[in-house]
Amino acid sequence: ATDTNVVFFEDNTTWDYDGVPQTAANAGDVVNIATTAGKVITADKPFFVAGRLGSGGNTSKGNIAWNPPDWAGRDFQFNGTRNQEHVIGIWPFETGTITVDGPGNGSPGGALPQAYAATAGVYFEVRLDSNSGGFTMSSTNADFAAFQYSEDTGNNRVIDAMPILPPSNDYLGFPSNSGQFSTAKVGGTSGNYWRSDANTNTPISIPYGSMFSVSGNGSQYTSMAIRATAPDFFNVRSNADGDGNDSAPWMPKAMMRKRYAINAVAEWVAFTSDKPATIQVFVPGGGQSSFTLTKTGSDPMAPYYAYRTGDVAGTIFESNTRFAAWYEPNTDVGAALEDETIMFGNDGPGDLPVNFKLALWLDASDGNTLYQVDDCTSIATSTSDPIGCWRDKSYHGRNATQTAGNKPTLNTSVGTFSGKNGVVFDGGTSYLEFDQSFLNGTDYTVFAVVHRDNTSSDNYLMGTASAAANQGLHLGFSSNTAARVGQYANDLDATIDGQANNPTGIIWGRLDSTSGKKVYFNGVTNTDATTTQLSSTGQGVIGRGYSALGLTGKVAEIIVFTRALSDAEVDLMEEYLNKKWFNPNSISDFRLWLDGSDNNNVFSDAGCSTQTASGGNVLCWLDKSGNGYQALSASGTPLWQLDGSRNVVAFTNDSLQITAGGLGAVFDNGSTLDQVEVLAVMKSTNASEDGYLIHHPAGGDLSVQLPDASSNAYISVNGSGNGTLSAAWGGNTTNYFRWNFISDNSGGGPYQEIFRNNSSVTSDATADSISIALETFYIGDNGSATKFQNMNLGELFVFKRRLTADERTILRVHTDNKWDLP
């Protein structure tokens, strides 16, 4: 390209062109520069770059994305279908030999293959003078990147300018007027493709030495997206999109990314993915919106897509699901008008579901970020090792450090963090320092995962050493029963359970300068209308707040954004932190886990092959415990339906069953069950009924009723007096509750207890055991098809032992944050 636009994803990006430093740029900035082929742009944070090659009319210019190292490789396939000769630009990352081969001719008309000596970092061009499908480039000793365009016989055109991507056997893209397939496999290969409106696949035969074309149903990428697969590598591109005389490669599925940005005003932007990605749109100047990729076809392989027009330069697109994107510039400034162009993107610095304006990320689960020395050397590996540097995983390098002797320490196995790392603070003496000035004059959202060891007030995990009003961000616990986000005299508290019942969880705070602040801890929230932003922040600290008042406990993760995340983005972050730190699968002796919020595990057929749509029948509900159980229809048909913000499985005179097979359903055939714990998140639809949440007819039975005919919560183990426990239900038909049923008849002494949310309903010192045989496990009734538990069931867990306090805390935090329980 000779005229190029660079667009940036992150604030304070330092970058250079051909080794010459340029002015630092911020997220959404677009910079125009004059460029030449074979030059390199580097930066300390992600960017996208494309530009115009040539000038004048449509056939004399082309818009072409530059090649990121992601698109380098040692084996390539490509097509040359019109307007030869074709110019192939090659940039080697290493010194070696690159061989061009194929069914056509090399320039000037010589036979292929032809070998070229390549020197690392030295750009060169190859010309081919035949129209063919199935050209190859390969090297045994050098990674390289490449692009192509066609000049015509008079060497006065720029046609089909595009990067050459490594080959794949699984692509997504748009045919526009047509999509062109070829392969380098002699004899060709066979495959299939699926359109976004497909109910089944279409077989294709991909030839060697020529093209197979798939017709589109509109120009300029208005046609449906297509996914194509084959057992052998092939290549595919759009062709003749209706204007601009350009083409673009399709995207290998493995090379899709979560974030893209456009560097010029776009006539259109087209998106596709194998999943229904919800994409956030960030417009320069602060506007934000979202859209979701859709499809009309029912085949699971049919791709999802979307098409937009009129997006401005600097617009950033982001999702927690990988997708592919193409755009067509509507300008000749730093771009070529009317030319379809593939985009390269990035996933952000890690596995976060939200990345835009990520400003600080401290993650104790990543052992490579915890160091004993303040210069980030000598990795901490053992419990009680000092932490002198907690390295920031964002692109900004805002490491939290401590040079003095008051360093926090490492705990390599925190029980309530699912056994993962935590950084241990002692109440204010130990702390880390970081530069908090990046929060000046901006909205923010800050998340943390924390465990409190005591009931102290001023238990802050983040703060400012000293500050005046609105000059320091504080996050933590102002008292035993209050979670706080504060700005030093501009504070907001939420009333929560005390530390004894609620030691661990997710806390976050948000400032939105248009609506006010919000604080959250384990499903409990509070808001105010104060919109004042921070200014003149002092020295930031981790592990304590103002003065020497600090956290006695452990911190697992801290994530800060310099903007107010939307509620949908907050939900994504909560889900990310919940799965990471409070994962039920970290608990042993798991026997069953049914999750009504997970659409990947509910099916409308007994064969468990067709996913249920919201409002649809549930004939199969798959277990997530890893044991592979299938809860299939026993009587009636439960429904998968939305209730509030999440889907649940609704039972109305319905039941499911897990057949015994050779295992005795969810327990082991021929075993004696001395301990069991059942946890359910549910809303009963009747205040009293003789129905069963679960029933396992082993021995005298294992049964739970919520409520029973007397409006009691009831558990029975072996049907005996010693094995039964009941108390007043105390629930209602409006709210969801978390219920724990515990029975322990092991050598430590008998014990039973029922919990509703975080309170013990009843307990006693009796229990019984049951003998497991090949019985069927029922959900929703007792197998009689008459004693139904009418309910909305969100989540059901069954363990074959009594859980520890830490394990019960993990499940409490998991369900509190997932279901917003009171």
Side-chain angles (χ1 to χ4, degrees), residues 109-340:
L112 296 178
Q114 292 189 23
Y116 300 87
T119 302
V122 178
Y123 169 81
F124 68 98
E125 293 180 351
V126 172
R127 280 175 160 75
L128 303 172
D129 68 355
S130 67
N131 283 340
S132 288
F135 285 115
T136 65
M137 289 185 295
S138 62
S139 176
T140 58
N141 51 11
D143 287 340
F144 62 98
F147 73 94
Q148 68 179 101
Y149 69 96
S150 300
E151 285 190 331
D152 207 7
T153 55
N155 303 122
N156 58 2
R157 289 190 166 195
V158 178
I159 302 294
D160 298 337
M162 57 185 160
I164 300 175
L165 274 61
S168 175
N169 60 1
D170 192 345
Y171 287 92
L172 292 97
F174 290 85
S176 197
N177 280 340
S178 66
Q180 295 182 329
F181 295 70
S182 72
T183 181
K185 181 185 178 184
V186 176
T189 187
S190 297
N192 296 280
Y193 76 83
W194 297 260
R195 292 165 51 104
S196 297
D197 57 357
N199 297 322
T200 186
N201 66 297
T202 300
I204 54 175
S205 180
I206 304 173
Y208 171 73
S210 60
M211 297 292 167
F212 175 86
S213 292
V214 171
S215 297
N217 63 354
S219 63
Q220 298 184 324
Y221 283 48
T222 55
S223 61
M224 295 282 189
I226 286 179
R227 182 176 179 183
T229 66
D232 304 293
F233 281 166
F234 63 98
N235 63 96
V236 57
R237 70 185 196 183
S238 65
N239 193 57
D241 82 326
D243 59 13
N245 293 91
D246 224 358
S247 300
W250 289 17
M251 182 70 81
K253 177 176 175 291
M255 302 185 85
M256 297 190 300
R257 296 293 182 260
K258 295 181 180 179
R259 302 202 296 170
Y260 296 86
I262 53 174
N263 65 338
V265 59
E267 183 171 340
W268 53 259
V269 189
F271 308 86
T272 185
S273 177
D274 61 324
K275 296 181 175 63
T278 296
I279 298 174
Q280 302 292 325
V281 183
F282 301 100
V283 180
Q288 181 178 353
S289 61
S290 65
F291 64 96
T292 301
L293 306 188
T294 61
K295 67 178 181 179
T296 57
S298 61
D299 194 288
M301 289 287 285
Y304 298 81
Y305 83 108
Y307 182 87
R308 295 168 56 90
T309 58
D311 285 303
V312 300
T315 300
I316 295 173
F317 304 96
E318 178 179 304
S319 178
N320 67 322
T321 300
R322 290 186 175 92
F323 62 101
W326 295 257
Y327 77 114
E328 181 174 285
N330 202 23
T331 179
D332 273 332
V333 178
L337 182 72
E338 312 293 6
D339 283 352
E340 58 194 286

Side-chain angles (χ1 to χ4, degrees), residues 418 420 449 505-506 520 522 557 571-584 646 795 809-819:
S418 296
K420 295 185 174 72
V449 174
I506 298 171
Y520 170 105
N522 285 353
E557 193 158 7
D571 286 345
L572 290 174
M573 289 300 300
E574 287 180 10
E575 183 178 7
Y576 162 80
L577 294 170
N578 210 14
K579 286 182 178 179
K580 182 174 182 176
W581 296 101
F582 309 107
N583 185 355
R646 292 192 180 274
E795 214 158 357
T809 296
I810 289 170
L811 289 177
R812 174 194 170 158
V813 177
H814 169 86
T815 52
D816 275 353
N817 287 293
K818 187 171 185 176
W819 299 98

Side-chain angles (χ1 to χ4, degrees), residues 364-367 370 380 410-414 417 419-423 555-556 581:
S365 74
D366 186 346
L370 299 171
L410 173 65
N411 185 324
T412 60
S413 182
V414 180
F417 294 161
K420 295 185 174 72
N421 287 346
V423 178
V555 176
W581 296 101

